Amino acid sequence: MIEPIPIFDGHNDTLLNLHLKDRGSGRSFFARSTLGDLDLPRAIDGCLRGGFFAIFVPDPERLSGPLKSDLHFSENGYTVDLSPSIEHDYARRETLAMMTRLFQIEQESAGKVRVVRTIAELESSFERSTVTAILHFEGAEAISPDLSNLDIFYQAGLRSLGIVWSRPNAFGQGVPFRYPSGPDIGPGLTSKGKALVRACNERGIMLDLAHLNERGFWDVAELSEAPLVVTHAGIHAICASTRNLTDQQLDAIGATDGVIGIAYDVSMLRPDGGIDRDMPLSTIVRHIAYVADRIGVEHVALGSDFDGATMPLDLGDVAALPRLIVALQEYGFDNSALKQIAGTNWLRVLRKTWKQ
Ligand SMILES: [Zn+2]
């Protein structure tokens, strides 16, 4: 019996799942559900102490995934057309609705869920058995292209920002989903995107390069003064998905003392790129070990994508996370490495990124 290791996770889409009422109308974060991947009772079972709570605004026409006409199968893989951009006003409205939901959850939780805005809050919250939430936007569509409302979101609690999802916006272009393919598809950051990187550096908002195409990645690498971070992705050398990181990208993340959260999405981890839930936990371990071997265990973390991706049957939901920790232990990671992977690597990178 090992002592439970507290887990801090790089990415979940639970706010969207609740917003879309995917687990039924009136279902709250506090009710144990068999639908969705994450709620408070299951988070406690799984020793999840917190993570990045993403706000993702879906294209209204693609609420339940890509349209059939977007998806094309090939002999050994697939391509998904780049999703169209979404309207700024629509994105801002939906974002405010999901932010409101997060703050309501915090308020109704009687201290069990806490949205943190400073390192002191993050550290004290992670120490206690609360669920610590960091407000994250997955795609910057809600932010005015002239950045005039960035400080409003910052004041409200925005501490982590994904510049794009897999579609174009005013700041850059996301990478379309393809397998097998490299991530060098489409142009880099726009001039507004470069201004956004500088503005986030100034305020200490963490930039997340998940979903960004390769040129955008290198634009941020050149400009940003903060550690490079990818909250949820896999390793391209193991699974040749456009969403995954090449060895050169991993090296750049390591060189800036950054971190990558390994997602559990089967299509981003299986070597054959298939959307097949029959995937052993050892495949997740393989991606984690690849990063640890190449750039060091201090640069790899967990980035589940709970409520936003297809989970392997062996994992299921957040309650099963201790099984993943056991699989990592059986692979050979010692207790101190396990603690780093499970949570403290995120804390280190945030300490180096946030300004307060
Ligand atoms: Zn994502």
Side-chain angles (χ1 to χ4, degrees):
M1 179 76 191
I2 52 166
E3 64 170 304
I5 291 189
I7 293 167
F8 197 89
D9 181 71
H11 188 88
N12 73 66
D13 284 307
T14 301
L15 293 172
L16 176 66
N17 186 280
L18 292 166
H19 182 63
L20 297 179
K21 302 184 171 58
D22 281 355
R23 49 189 90 171
S25 187
R27 275 282 179 182
S28 88
F29 185 66
F30 304 107
R32 183 182 292 274
S33 175
T34 52
L35 302 171
D37 301 321
L38 203 171
D39 50 48
L40 187 62
R42 285 184 288 170
I44 292 167
D45 288 353
C47 209
L48 182 81
R49 289 284 178 77
F52 293 80
F53 280 66
I55 290 186
F56 169 67
V57 181
D59 181 322
E61 280 188 33
R62 290 166 175 75
L63 280 177
S64 49
L67 302 179
K68 275 205 176 107
S69 54
D70 295 339
L71 181 61
H72 315 279
F73 287 104
S74 61
E75 218 172 286
N76 59 344
Y78 58 86
T79 64
V80 180
D81 297 339
L82 188 65
S83 292
S85 56
I86 58 166
E87 293 282 327
H88 166 61
D89 284 345
Y90 163 73
R92 202 186 48 211
R93 259 194 332 268
E94 293 292 289
T95 296
L96 288 172
M98 283 182 263
M99 284 170 70
T100 305
R101 184 176 295 271
L102 176 63
F103 297 137
Q104 275 170 352
I105 288 172
E106 181 185 32
Q107 202 161 31
E108 290 165 17
S109 76
K112 293 197 180 77
V113 178
R114 188 169 179 207
V115 182
V116 297
R117 295 169 178 78
T118 67
I119 292 298
E121 288 174 0
L122 173 65
E123 286 176 343
S124 76
S125 180
F126 187 65
E127 286 301 310
R128 285 182 277 125
S129 52
T130 46
V131 171
T132 301
I134 293 173
L135 175 60
H136 169 82
F137 290 178
E138 185 173 25
E141 284 89 349
I143 293 169
S144 306
D146 66 1
L147 310 185
S148 56
N149 65 0
L150 181 61
D151 281 319
I152 297 174
F153 288 124
Y154 180 79
Q155 292 297 335
L158 180 69
R159 290 294 180 275
S160 173
L161 175 65
I163 301 171
V164 292
W165 185 71
S166 289
R167 62 191 170 205
N169 67 23
F171 306 103
Q173 191 159 304
V175 73
F177 300 98
R178 287 184 195 168
Y179 175 96
S181 167
D184 186 10
I185 302 170
L189 296 189
T190 64
S191 59
K192 292 183 171 75
K194 291 176 182 172
L196 179 64
V197 171
R198 287 186 209 101
C200 288
N201 277 176
E202 276 166 27
R203 287 159 183 78
I205 298 171
M206 192 189 92
L207 288 162
D208 174 15
L209 310 189
H211 288 277
L212 191 57
N213 64 15
E214 189 171 353
R215 282 177 219 189
F217 178 98
W218 293 118
D219 282 342
V220 178
E222 197 180 304
L223 261 177
S224 179
E225 290 158 4
L228 297 177
V229 174
V230 178
T231 58
H232 59 301
I235 302 309
H236 198 271
I238 301 173
C239 168
S241 154
T242 50
R243 278 278 287 108
N244 288 343
L245 296 165
T246 65
D247 287 349
Q248 290 70 32
Q249 290 176 312
L250 290 181
D251 293 347
I253 291 168
T256 60
D257 200 20
V259 72
I260 158 176
I262 298 296
Y264 315 151
D265 189 333
V266 294
S267 70
M268 282 160 59
L269 297 190
R270 290 175 60 100
D272 66 4
I275 306 173
D276 178 352
R277 298 186 66 196
D278 185 10
M279 182 191 93
L281 289 182
S282 59
T283 306
I284 304 178
V285 174
R286 191 174 158 200
H287 283 254
I288 291 170
Y290 188 95
V291 183
D293 287 345
R294 188 172 178 96
I295 58 171
V297 73
E298 62 274 31
H299 303 301
V300 64
L302 306 179
S304 67
D305 212 353
F306 282 136
D307 284 324
T310 308
M311 294 292 134
L313 289 169
D314 274 5
L315 188 72
D317 62 12
V318 65
L321 277 178
R323 284 214 295 272
L324 176 59
I325 300 295
V326 168
L328 287 163
Q329 191 187 37
E330 283 170 358
Y331 174 84
F333 287 110
D334 64 19
N335 219 41
S336 105
L338 289 175
K339 282 183 177 159
Q340 285 179 284
I341 297 166
T344 59
N345 284 338
W346 282 123
L347 269 62
R348 182 194 78 252
V349 166
L350 289 166
R351 256 183 239 119
K352 291 186 100 168
T353 305
W354 288 0
K355 296 268 160 137
Q356 52 178 326

